[in-house]
């Protein structure tokens, strides 16, 4: 998602609207190989990207002039990597011949191949201990000059992903919470802890409800996206009840701010790698906090992010948020990390806890995606061999399966401990 979002950002900067064609599962299987996400899940991801104007499902694998003309598109934009159909011919040969093809740089970041490698090899070398230190060039691999350059490039990408729907103006605000890493306790916030601003953007405006959500957002799946969409939908309904969408109020907002905006300002807290790994084990998260943060930033349902947010949103932490205590803290219907305590106990005591109910993508999380890849391993390895990538050995796959089983047993133990604590 990170690389696709980067391509969509560059494409949006070239025009006023961006229509994104999404191939069917069958077309991808025939021309490229098995998909990780279903068509419906991939369409959901495109619709959630703030730079996408509209998704076009079932787009043909080979782009034709009549197809793009039908939708009023002047140009087709793609990365500088070559895309071929099942017969080995260029998928964009027709629009290239017509001079209606534009190339954007292949965005840096992790590819599907990289992610599959992390899953199968169970590596943890991608973990980031302190994002703020990495961005400052004080942590990471390489010489001091290389670390500084890497930190500057990462900071630049965060600023790019924090832009508005045009990709040209400031949009989401970005903060980093500085505290000790407390993944294995109910972490009370330290007195000297606090948030420092990384990117300034459009803050909350008069009348907007402050909403807080948090999570790992690993592999930023349709499960995360639908949860955030439901939060926005719920707040929109609440806005209707308080008269947010009356023509009089809408005109007032436009007169004061030059544009209209929604009734909620949604802040997303993103947990550190070590915090997630403590609770989920194996080598989760598959994506590090920088990669996960970019995924959250590109989502249109988010107005601000807080990197390194504590696992437990205590009263003290919420009170000290950059915008003050939120009106509501939302969470999903099911925790995929059975705990020994309730991290939202203080939120519930404040009377601001809200839960999003069941939805069609609620079972789609990082563990589910890993299982999909493991089950279709043979097909994925064939796809990787065509790309010249090495396949994983049976021993490597068996190790992953054993670690996943160990993680499940740990989850059962924690769930039992929590149940005993409530009796």
């Amino acid at each position: 998602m990170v690389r696709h979002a980067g391509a969509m950002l560059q494409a949006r900067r070239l025009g006023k609207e961006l229509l994104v064609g999404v191939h069917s599962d069958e077309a991808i299987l025939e021309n490229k190989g098995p998909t990780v996400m279903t068509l419906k899940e991939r369409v959901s991801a495109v619709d959630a990207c703030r730079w996408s104007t509209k998704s076009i499902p079932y787009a043909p694998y080979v782009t034709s002039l009549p197809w793009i003309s039908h939708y009023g598109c002047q140009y087709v934009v793609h990365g500088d990597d070559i895309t071929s159909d099942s017969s080995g011919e260029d998928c964009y040969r027709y629009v290239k011949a017509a001079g209606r093809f534009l190339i954007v740089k292949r965005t840096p970041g992790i590819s599907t191949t990289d992610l599959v490698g992390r899953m199968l090899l169970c590596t943890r070398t991608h973990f980031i201990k302190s994002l703020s230190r990495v961005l400052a060039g004080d942590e990471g691999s390489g010489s001091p000059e290389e670390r500084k350059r890497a930190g500057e490039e990462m900071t630049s990408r965060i600023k790019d992903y924090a832009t508005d729907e045009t990709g040209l103006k400031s949009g989401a605000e970005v903060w980093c919470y500085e505290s000790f890493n407390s993944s294995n306790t109910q972490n009370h916030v330290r007195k000297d802890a606090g948030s420092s601003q990384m990117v300034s953007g459009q803050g909350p405006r008069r009348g907007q409800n402050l909403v807080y959500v948090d999570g790992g957002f690993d592999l930023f799946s349709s499960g995360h996206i639908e949860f955030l969409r439901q939060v926005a939908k719920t707040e929109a309904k609440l806005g209707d009840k308080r008269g947010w969408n009356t023509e009089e109020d809408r005109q007032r907002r436009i007169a004061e701010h030059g544009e209209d905006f929604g009734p909620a300002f949604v802040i997303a807290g993103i947990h550190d790698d070590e915090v997630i790994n403590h609770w989920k084990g194996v080598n989760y998260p598959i994506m590090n906090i920088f990669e996960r943060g970019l995924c959250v930033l590109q989502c249109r349902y988010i107005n601000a992010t807080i990197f390194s947010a504590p696992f437990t949103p205590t009263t003290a932490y919420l009170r000290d948020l950059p915008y003050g205590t939120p009106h509501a803290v939302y969470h999903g219907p099911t925790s995929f990390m059975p705990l020994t305590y309730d991290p939202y106990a203080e939120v519930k005591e404040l009377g601001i806890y809200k839960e999003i109910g069941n939805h069609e993508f609620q079972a789609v999380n990082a563990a589910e995606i890993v299982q999909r890849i493991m089950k279709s391993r043979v097909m994925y390895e064939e796809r990787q061999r065509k790309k010249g990538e090495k396949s994983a050995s049976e021993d490597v796959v068996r190790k992953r399966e054993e670690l996943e089983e160990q993680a499940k047993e740990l989850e059962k133990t924690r769930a039992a401990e929590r149940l005993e604590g409530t009796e």
Side-chain angles (χ1 to χ4, degrees):
M1 188 63 217
V2 177
R3 298 180 81 164
H4 289 145
M8 284 189 273
L9 169 58
Q10 293 183 75
R12 181 57 187 269
R13 286 172 170 172
L14 297 174
K16 294 182 179 180
E17 291 191 1
L18 176 62
L19 277 62
V20 182
V22 186
H23 306 311
S24 68
D25 298 344
E26 295 78 13
I28 297 173
L29 180 62
E30 177 185 352
N31 292 279
K32 188 176 182 180
T35 62
V36 178
M37 302 291 189
T38 66
L39 174 63
K40 198 168 187 179
E41 291 167 354
R42 285 179 280 114
V43 167
S44 170
V46 170
D47 288 340
C49 181
R50 70 173 76 249
W51 305 301
S52 167
T53 305
K54 182 180 180 181
S55 62
I56 310 295
Y58 297 100
Y61 207 78
V62 176
T63 307
S64 66
L65 289 171
W67 174 265
I68 64 171
S69 297
H70 171 74
Y71 288 100
C73 297
Q74 294 175 290
Y75 294 98
V76 174
V77 182
H78 196 269
D80 54 11
D81 51 320
I82 299 173
T83 303
S84 304
D85 58 20
S86 57
S87 61
E89 293 190 84
D90 190 335
C91 292
Y92 300 99
R93 55 189 180 274
Y94 301 119
V95 290
K96 284 182 178 179
R100 296 172 66 179
F101 185 77
L102 299 176
I103 297 176
V104 294
K105 291 183 179 179
R106 185 179 177 87
T107 54
I110 50 171
S111 64
T112 302
T113 301
D114 297 328
L115 292 176
V116 171
R118 290 178 186 179
M119 293 174 196
L120 294 177
L121 299 176
C122 300
T123 57
R124 300 187 188 187
T125 54
H126 59 284
F127 284 9
I128 290 177
K129 186 174 183 180
S130 170
L131 180 62
S132 59
R133 287 180 57 79
V134 169
L135 296 179
D138 297 328
E139 187 177 297
S141 59
S143 66
E145 293 76 17
E146 290 172 330
R147 290 197 301 269
K148 181 180 179 181
R149 185 165 56 252
E152 290 173 348
E153 291 173 354
M154 291 169 71
T155 300
S156 178
R157 289 192 70 199
I158 290 174
K159 290 179 178 178
D160 280 341
Y161 278 61
T163 53
D164 69 352
E165 64 274 8
T166 69
L168 300 171
K169 302 176 183 177
S170 60
E173 296 210 306
V174 185
W175 300 78
C176 188
Y177 184 73
E178 301 291 345
S179 182
F180 65 99
N181 225 359
S182 183
S183 58
N184 58 353
T185 70
Q186 297 183 26
N187 63 314
H188 297 288
V189 176
R190 207 172 59 182
K191 289 183 178 180
D192 60 345
S195 300
S196 57
Q197 192 168 43
M198 297 169 60
V199 180
S200 61
Q202 178 59 62
R205 291 178 273 200
R206 185 163 67 92
Q208 284 187 306
N209 272 352
L210 290 175
V211 172
Y212 183 78
V213 299
D214 63 2
F217 302 107
D218 194 15
L219 297 177
F220 201 64
S221 68
S222 54
H224 302 122
I225 292 169
E226 183 60 19
F227 162 70
L228 294 173
R229 192 183 75 84
Q230 290 293 336
V231 169
K233 184 178 179 180
T234 301
E235 286 295 318
K237 289 181 179 179
L238 293 174
D240 284 339
K241 291 181 179 180
R242 55 191 174 96
W244 184 268
N245 291 317
T246 62
E247 185 61 23
E248 181 182 351
D249 280 356
R250 193 179 74 84
Q251 291 300 329
R252 176 183 54 78
R253 290 193 295 270
I254 293 174
E256 290 181 3
H257 302 280
E259 62 179 358
D260 196 12
F261 47 88
F265 185 89
V266 182
I267 309 152
I270 307 167
H271 304 318
D272 277 322
D273 297 342
E274 291 183 0
V275 171
I276 297 173
N277 186 254
H278 170 82
W279 292 109
K280 292 203 67 174
V282 196
N283 70 326
Y284 292 106
I286 304 300
M287 300 173 77
N288 63 45
I289 188 169
F290 170 71
E291 297 158 349
R292 291 181 283 115
L294 293 183
C295 288
V296 175
L297 269 175
Q298 60 84 40
C299 182
R300 68 172 70 250
Y301 309 124
I302 294 298
N303 301 98
T305 60
I306 301 179
F307 283 99
S308 303
F311 192 72
T312 302
T314 62
T315 302
Y317 167 72
L318 294 174
R319 182 187 62 233
D320 292 336
L321 285 175
Y323 316 106
T325 304
H327 296 91
V329 175
Y330 283 85
H331 191 59
T334 305
S335 171
F336 300 113
M337 296 183 285
L339 311 174
T340 55
Y341 73 102
D342 183 0
Y344 297 96
E346 292 188 33
V347 177
K348 293 174 181 177
E349 289 177 5
L350 291 173
I352 59 175
Y353 179 81
K354 294 187 178 184
E355 194 167 279
I356 294 297
N358 296 336
H359 56 77
E360 64 175 317
F361 298 128
Q362 68 186 50
V364 185
N365 55 33
E368 164 65 18
I369 294 170
V370 169
Q371 287 304 310
R372 289 181 185 182
I373 289 176
M374 296 293 285
K375 289 178 181 178
S376 302
R377 182 176 60 87
V378 174
M379 296 178 72
Y380 281 109
E381 289 190 342
E382 177 60 28
R383 169 174 151 180
Q384 301 309 86
R385 274 194 290 270
K386 289 180 179 179
K387 293 182 177 181
E389 302 286 345
K390 293 181 179 179
S391 61
S393 67
E394 291 293 335
D395 289 340
V396 167
V397 175
R398 193 177 301 112
K399 178 184 176 183
R400 176 86 210 187
E401 292 172 343
E402 290 174 354
L403 290 174
E404 289 284 356
E405 286 301 317
Q406 291 172 16
K408 288 179 181 178
E409 289 302 316
L410 181 59
E411 288 178 356
K412 291 179 182 178
T413 301
R414 284 174 173 159
E417 289 175 357
R418 181 176 175 182
L419 184 62
E420 290 176 2
T422 60
E423 294 177 348

